[in-house]
Amino acid sequence: MSGDGTTADDDPLQTAVWRLRSRACWADAAALLRPAGPDAALQRASLLVERCLYTEAGWEEAEDALRAAEAAAHSDDERGAAACERGYLAYAATLFQVRDRADEARAALGRAAALIAPGAAGRALLDFRRGLIAENLTRSPQAARAAYRRAHAGATAHADPLLLSATWRHLAGLALREGELAEARHGFAESLRIREELGYLVGTAPALVSLADTETEPEASRLREEARRLFRLLGGVPTWLAHQLTPPTPGTATA
């Protein structure tokens, strides 16, 4: 996740890419970036990897784009960013049980850490993704929290609001698991606020559902219904949200 295309002074191409990306049109956004130099190749790969996370599909196209980005990379920063995307794609494949690529994910993020300088803008995204692996693959919430906090600080320092929305959300998720309801509600509310301000529609439904988990009725139901509306609007994306948004069967009691 990065904030490409979200600021008022971006060029028209980046604005168009952002609008398509935020509406779950990753392939259309990626198509705008041809022909691709190193930066565009990396951005194309990032878009198509993100599509895998939201749709659980498009793996081969993401792999092709990632190989192109790796081939185009010349500087340490470019190679580090490509390795970060490699690790994220391998993480996604493992998370969705496409194929166990956990070792590849860790190795790629390790390479990225060796190439991306401390304090560089790309370091915050790397820290966030290392947190995802710690939380969801290694099952180490303490390591995940430390990584998310580093990412949160980096996203703040480098003014990356979309990444900041992700760190708020994942820190809140850890807080909720530990029973810290007020802290979780605050974090989820901040994540939702940022995504709504950015117009990041594809990430808004998950943020609504997460906040609903910390609210009482009738607010919880209102938030989930708004999430259902967005989910339908975007054609059932993100796919992994479907089971949380299945409306109750008529006549079934709800808690």
Side-chain angles (χ1 to χ4, degrees), residues 16-252:
V17 168
W18 167 254
R19 287 175 176 168
L20 289 166
R21 174 192 180 188
S22 67
R23 289 158 177 76
C25 300
W26 295 279
D28 292 338
L32 294 179
L33 297 168
R34 296 177 182 272
D39 289 344
L42 180 64
Q43 192 178 3
R44 284 192 75 253
S46 176
L47 288 166
L48 296 174
V49 170
E50 185 174 89
R51 180 177 66 171
C52 294
L53 265 290
Y54 279 87
T55 68
E56 303 177 56
W59 303 97
E60 287 302 320
E61 193 172 358
E63 287 282 359
D64 289 344
L66 186 51
R67 283 192 288 269
E70 290 167 337
H74 299 299
S75 69
D76 281 352
D77 281 347
E78 290 166 355
R79 284 190 288 267
C84 189
E85 292 302 326
R86 168 69 62 191
Y88 196 39
L89 183 60
Y91 160 78
T94 305
L95 185 70
F96 293 127
Q97 300 181 333
V98 176
R99 184 157 60 90
D100 185 351
R101 297 172 61 181
D103 289 343
E104 179 188 352
R106 294 186 184 95
L109 295 187
R111 286 197 304 276
L115 291 164
I116 300 173
R123 195 78 185 195
L125 183 61
L126 171 61
D127 283 332
F128 175 69
R129 290 173 174 176
R130 295 180 101 172
L132 291 175
I133 287 179
E135 180 181 3
N136 297 315
L137 302 187
T138 309
R139 307 296 179 187
S140 176
Q142 290 184 333
R145 182 180 292 104
Y148 292 150
R149 284 176 174 167
R150 290 194 301 272
H152 192 85
T156 301
H158 292 282
D160 188 339
L162 187 56
L163 179 57
L164 196 62
S165 80
T167 56
W168 273 121
R169 173 173 158 76
H170 283 267
L171 284 167
L174 292 176
L176 184 60
R177 292 181 193 178
E178 295 179 354
E180 300 292 340
L181 190 61
E183 181 181 345
R185 183 182 296 117
H186 173 71
F188 287 139
E190 284 297 296
S191 179
L192 176 60
R193 176 187 64 79
I194 293 169
R195 292 180 181 199
E196 288 181 332
E197 288 178 356
L198 293 175
Y200 189 56
L201 290 182
V202 73
T204 299
L208 286 162
V209 171
S210 293
L211 183 58
D213 289 340
T214 70
E215 295 286 358
T216 56
E217 297 296 351
E219 181 64 6
S221 290
R222 185 193 70 79
L223 291 167
R224 289 192 180 94
E225 185 52 41
E226 177 63 11
R228 286 188 193 100
R229 185 187 70 80
L230 283 174
F231 181 73
R232 291 192 296 266
L233 178 68
L234 295 173
V237 176
T239 53
W240 41 262
L241 203 58
H243 72 281
Q244 298 180 55
L245 292 176
T246 302
T249 303
T252 301

